[in-house]
Amino acid sequence: MKAYDEYRRMIEQSLAPMLESLGEIPEKLLEAMRYSLEAGGKRLRPVMLLAACDMAGGDTGTALPFACAMEMIHTYSLIHDDLPAMDNDDFRRGKPTNHKVFGEGIAVLAGDGLLNAAAELMAGAALRMADSRGIRAMEIIMRHAGVTGMIAGQAADLLSEGEPPREDLVIYIHSHKTADLLEAPIEAGLALAGADEQACRLGREYGYHLGLAFQMTDDLLDVTGDEALLGKKTGADAELNKMTWVALRGVAGTKKDAAEQAELAIGAINRLPWEHGFFTELARGTVSRKQ
Amino acid sequence: MKAYDEYRRMIEQSLAPMLESLGEIPEKLLEAMRYSLEAGGKRLRPVMLLAACDMAGGDTGTALPFACAMEMIHTYSLIHDDLPAMDNDDFRRGKPTNHKVFGEGIAVLAGDGLLNAAAELMAGAALRMADSRGIRAMEIIMRHAGVTGMIAGQAADLLSEGEPPREDLVIYIHSHKTADLLEAPIEAGLALAGADEQACRLGREYGYHLGLAFQMTDDLLDVTGDEALLGKKTGADAELNKMTWVALRGVAGTKKDAAEQAELAIGAINRLPWEHGFFTELARGTVSRKQ
C-alpha cells in the first residue's frame, strides 16, 4: 500500500482530466466546476476508495474514475450546501464560495454537473470492465449519496434548523450527511477489488464509525479550532443554532465520544484479513486533526 | 406495440413506487420530489424509451426503471430551472413551482435527489441484468443529461441571457437543453433491446430532429398558444428576452422550420428495420400539438 499523500496526488492529477474527458463543456460551467473541485481539501473520500481497493489487492488504476467520482459528489454537495437557500456560506476552505464567484444560477448547475459527471464517469468505466465489479461499486456510491443517504441527511439538517438538539436527530444527520459518504468509498473500493460481502460489511462498519468520529471532531473544531488553520470562521454552528454533537454533549463529552467511535472503527477494520495499518492510522488521525 | 397512453400509464403507475423502493426517504423531501414528479405532463421521454425498446423487440418491464429514471432527470431539470436564480418561475403546469411550495432549500435537494435517484435506480437495474445492456443504456442517459448535454444547454441558456439572438447559439441551446433529453430515451430504449450501433445512430438522429421540432413548437406556443391549455402564461420568453427560434425566424419561419425538422426525424426513423408508425405519428403530433 502507498502513503496517504501518494493516493492524494493520484487523485489531484486526475480530477480535471477526468472531467474534461467527458467532452466539450461550456467554458464558464467548466471553470465553476474546476474552481470548487480544485479548491483542495483532504481528498479523504477518494483516498479511502483507492486505499481500500489497494488493501484488498485490487487495481488502483481501475478504481481511479470511481475515486474521482466520489470527490465530485462530495464537491457538488458542498457547492449546493453553501447556497443562500441552504447554509448561506460566503467562504469555504479560505476561498469565496462558488455562488459568490459565479452567481447562484451557475453554482446550481455546477453542482448538478458534478453529480451527473460522477455517474457518467462511473457508468463509462463500468461499461469498459469485463465483470460486474464496476456497476456494483457505482450502485454502492449512488445509494450512499442519494435520498436514503447523504441527501437524506442534508434534508433532515435543513428541516431541523432552529429546533433544540435531540440525540436521535443528531445521529441521523451525522450518519447520513457525513458517514454515508465515508462508508461508500471503502465499500466501493473493496467491491472493485472483488472482496466478498462480509468484508464489505466490515468496511461499511469502519466507514460509519469513522464518519461519526469525523463529524464529532468537525463540531469540536468549530468551537475550539484555529480559524487560520481551518480557513473559515469558527462558532458558525452555534450562531446558526445547528444540530451538533457539541450542543448535545459539550466539548469534553464530544471528545470522549469521538475517541470511542475511532476505536469502534479500528475494531471493525481489525477483523479484515489484510494489512490495514493505513486505516488504523486514518482513524486515529481523524480525531487528532487540527483542520 | 402499444398506444402512447398505455406506455404513459405504465410509467405513471411506476414513478412513485420506484422512488419509494429506494428505501426510507425523509417525509418532506419525498413529498417535494413526488409533488413535481406527479405534476403530470406528457411523459414524452419515458414513453419514447419504452416504445423504442418495444419496437426493437425488447422487454418493456426491464426498460421501466430506465424510463422512470428519464422522467426523474427531466423533472429535476425543471425544478432547478424554475429556481429564482435560474428562470424564476412561479407556476409550472398550472401549479405553483416546487420552491414556491417547499422553499428553495428543499427544492434544490429535491432536484439533487431526483437526479441521484435516477442514477441509483439504473445502477440497481443494471446490476440485476445478466448482460451489459443496462449499463450501456445508463451511460447513454447520463451522458445526454450531463455537462456535455442537457446541463451544457442550461448553462449556455443562462449565460446568454440578455444577448441578442444568434442562430448558432439558439441551435446550441435547443440541441442540448431539449434535443439531448429526446435523443437519450430512444437510443437507450434501443440499446436495452440489444439493437446495433447503426440502429442506435438512426434513433439518435430521430431524437435530435424531434427535439428541435419540439422546442420550435414550444417557442411558437409561447407566442401563439392558449394559456388555459398550456397551464402557464404566454409571452414569458419575450419578456425575459430568451434566445428562442421565434426571436430569430419569426412565427411563420419557425412553423416552416419545425415542420421540416419533423420530416427529417421521420426520414431517420424510416430507415429502421422495424414497424415504426408510432414514431412517425409522434413526430407529426409534436408540431401540431396545442400544449
Side-chain angles (χ1 to χ4, degrees):
Chain A
M1 288 187 67
K2 299 183 177 67
Y4 192 103
D5 282 339
E6 282 183 74
Y7 294 122
R8 183 176 172 163
R9 210 160 19 240
M10 279 176 76
I11 291 145
E12 295 197 323
Q13 284 169 351
S14 309
L15 285 167
M18 289 256 176
L19 198 56
E20 295 186 39
S21 77
L22 298 175
E24 197 78 45
I25 303 170
E27 203 179 305
K28 205 70 185 169
L29 178 64
L30 178 62
E31 199 190 319
M33 290 192 292
R34 287 188 61 163
Y35 176 80
S36 293
L37 204 53
E38 294 174 347
K42 291 175 281 286
R43 313 298 187 192
L44 175 59
R45 295 152 195 84
V47 164
M48 283 175 73
L49 193 146
L50 292 185
C53 179
D54 206 5
M55 170 177 73
D59 173 39
T60 51
T62 311
L64 202 50
F66 298 86
C68 289
M70 234 11 272
E71 187 67 5
M72 288 176 190
I73 289 172
H74 173 58
T75 304
Y76 113 78
S77 79
L78 300 181
I79 296 175
H80 282 185
D81 197 42
D82 287 338
L83 286 169
M86 307 276 288
D87 265 6
N88 195 21
D89 279 318
D90 291 352
F91 287 91
R92 158 86 57 190
R93 293 168 184 160
K95 290 171 66 181
T97 45
N98 200 289
H99 65 273
K100 280 289 174 187
V101 180
F102 298 96
E104 277 184 58
I106 287 294
V108 169
L109 291 175
D112 295 347
L114 285 169
L115 171 56
N116 195 104
E120 191 178 344
L121 265 177
M122 290 192 283
L127 193 56
R128 288 187 299 273
M129 287 165 75
D131 55 34
S132 63
R133 292 177 187 191
I135 182 69
R136 195 175 150 213
M138 173 168 186
E139 195 276 332
I140 290 164
I141 290 172
M142 294 317 299
R143 178 157 39 80
H144 281 89
V147 292
T148 65
M150 184 267 284
I151 296 172
Q154 292 278 18
D157 194 19
L158 185 65
L159 293 166
S160 67
E161 251 172 39
E163 280 182 39
R166 246 172 46 215
E167 184 166 343
D168 60 334
L169 206 52
V170 175
I171 290 179
Y172 183 90
I173 292 170
H174 284 193
S175 68
H176 289 299
K177 195 173 162 173
T178 307
D180 273 327
L181 286 198
L182 295 177
E183 284 179 34
I186 184 163
E187 188 181 353
L190 293 173
L192 285 165
D196 64 18
E197 187 38 51
Q198 158 76 352
C200 286
R201 198 186 53 71
L202 288 169
R204 265 200 313 277
E205 212 177 294
Y206 173 89
Y208 175 76
H209 293 298
L210 186 80
L212 292 190
F214 184 88
Q215 188 59 52
M216 288 166 181
T217 307
D218 243 28
D219 291 356
L220 275 171
L221 288 172
D222 189 68
V223 177
T224 65
D226 179 323
E227 293 194 352
L229 274 176
L230 291 166
K232 64 179 176 186
K233 267 177 45 183
T234 58
D237 291 342
E239 211 172 283
L240 283 163
N241 210 7
K242 295 291 271 187
M243 197 86 34
T244 70
W245 205 253
V246 174
L248 203 68
R249 299 273 212 224
V251 167
T254 302
K255 269 188 188 160
K256 185 173 156 290
D257 291 343
E260 199 175 289
Q261 289 298 324
E263 286 311 314
L264 286 169
I266 292 167
I269 211 82
N270 274 341
R271 282 178 281 157
L272 283 177
W274 306 287
E275 161 54 39
H276 50 261
F278 182 95
F279 285 100
T280 310
E281 214 178 293
L282 186 66
R284 298 243 156 86
T286 293
V287 288
S288 64
R289 73 197 157 96
K290 301 281 174 246
Q291 66 184 67
Chain B
M1 287 188 68
K2 300 183 175 70
Y4 192 102
D5 284 338
E6 281 183 75
Y7 294 123
R8 181 175 173 161
R9 212 164 12 244
M10 280 176 75
I11 290 144
E12 294 196 323
Q13 285 168 351
S14 309
L15 284 168
M18 290 257 177
L19 198 55
E20 296 187 38
S21 76
L22 298 175
E24 197 78 46
I25 302 170
E27 202 179 307
K28 205 70 185 172
L29 178 66
L30 178 62
E31 200 190 316
M33 290 191 292
R34 288 189 60 164
Y35 176 80
S36 293
L37 205 52
E38 294 173 348
K42 293 175 281 286
R43 313 297 188 191
L44 175 58
R45 294 153 195 84
V47 164
M48 283 175 73
L49 192 147
L50 292 185
C53 179
D54 206 5
M55 170 178 73
D59 173 40
T60 52
T62 309
L64 202 50
F66 298 86
C68 289
M70 226 26 262
E71 187 67 5
M72 288 177 191
I73 289 172
H74 174 57
T75 303
Y76 113 78
S77 80
L78 300 181
I79 295 175
H80 282 185
D81 197 41
D82 287 338
L83 286 170
M86 309 273 289
D87 265 6
N88 195 18
D89 278 318
D90 292 351
F91 287 91
R92 158 85 59 188
R93 293 168 183 160
K95 290 170 68 181
T97 44
N98 200 288
H99 65 273
K100 280 288 171 190
V101 180
F102 298 95
E104 276 185 58
I106 287 294
V108 169
L109 290 175
D112 294 347
L114 286 167
L115 172 55
N116 196 103
E120 191 179 342
L121 264 177
M122 290 192 284
L127 194 56
R128 290 187 298 273
M129 287 165 76
D131 56 33
S132 64
R133 291 177 188 191
I135 179 76
R136 194 175 150 212
M138 168 164 189
E139 195 277 331
I140 290 164
I141 290 172
M142 294 317 300
R143 177 158 38 82
H144 282 89
V147 291
T148 64
M150 186 266 285
I151 296 173
Q154 292 278 18
D157 194 18
L158 185 65
L159 293 166
S160 67
E161 251 172 39
E163 281 182 38
R166 245 171 48 213
E167 183 166 343
D168 60 336
L169 206 50
V170 175
I171 291 179
Y172 183 89
I173 292 170
H174 284 194
S175 68
H176 290 297
K177 195 173 162 173
T178 308
D180 273 328
L181 286 198
L182 295 176
E183 284 179 31
I186 183 162
E187 188 182 352
L190 293 172
L192 285 166
D196 64 18
E197 187 40 48
Q198 157 78 350
C200 286
R201 199 185 55 71
L202 288 169
R204 266 201 313 275
E205 210 178 297
Y206 173 89
Y208 174 77
H209 293 299
L210 185 81
L212 293 189
F214 184 89
Q215 187 59 51
M216 288 166 180
T217 308
D218 242 30
D219 290 356
L220 276 170
L221 288 172
D222 189 69
V223 177
T224 65
D226 180 323
E227 292 193 352
L229 275 175
L230 291 168
K232 65 179 176 186
K233 269 177 44 183
T234 57
D237 290 342
E239 211 173 282
L240 284 164
N241 209 9
K242 296 290 271 186
M243 198 82 39
T244 69
W245 205 254
V246 174
L248 202 68
R249 299 274 213 226
V251 167
T254 302
K255 269 188 188 159
K256 186 172 155 290
D257 291 343
E260 200 175 288
Q261 290 298 324
E263 286 310 314
L264 287 170
I266 291 167
I269 210 83
N270 274 342
R271 282 178 280 156
L272 284 177
W274 307 288
E275 161 54 39
H276 50 262
F278 181 94
F279 285 100
T280 310
E281 214 176 291
L282 186 65
R284 298 243 157 86
T286 293
V287 287
S288 64
R289 73 197 158 95
K290 301 285 175 238
Q291 67 185 69

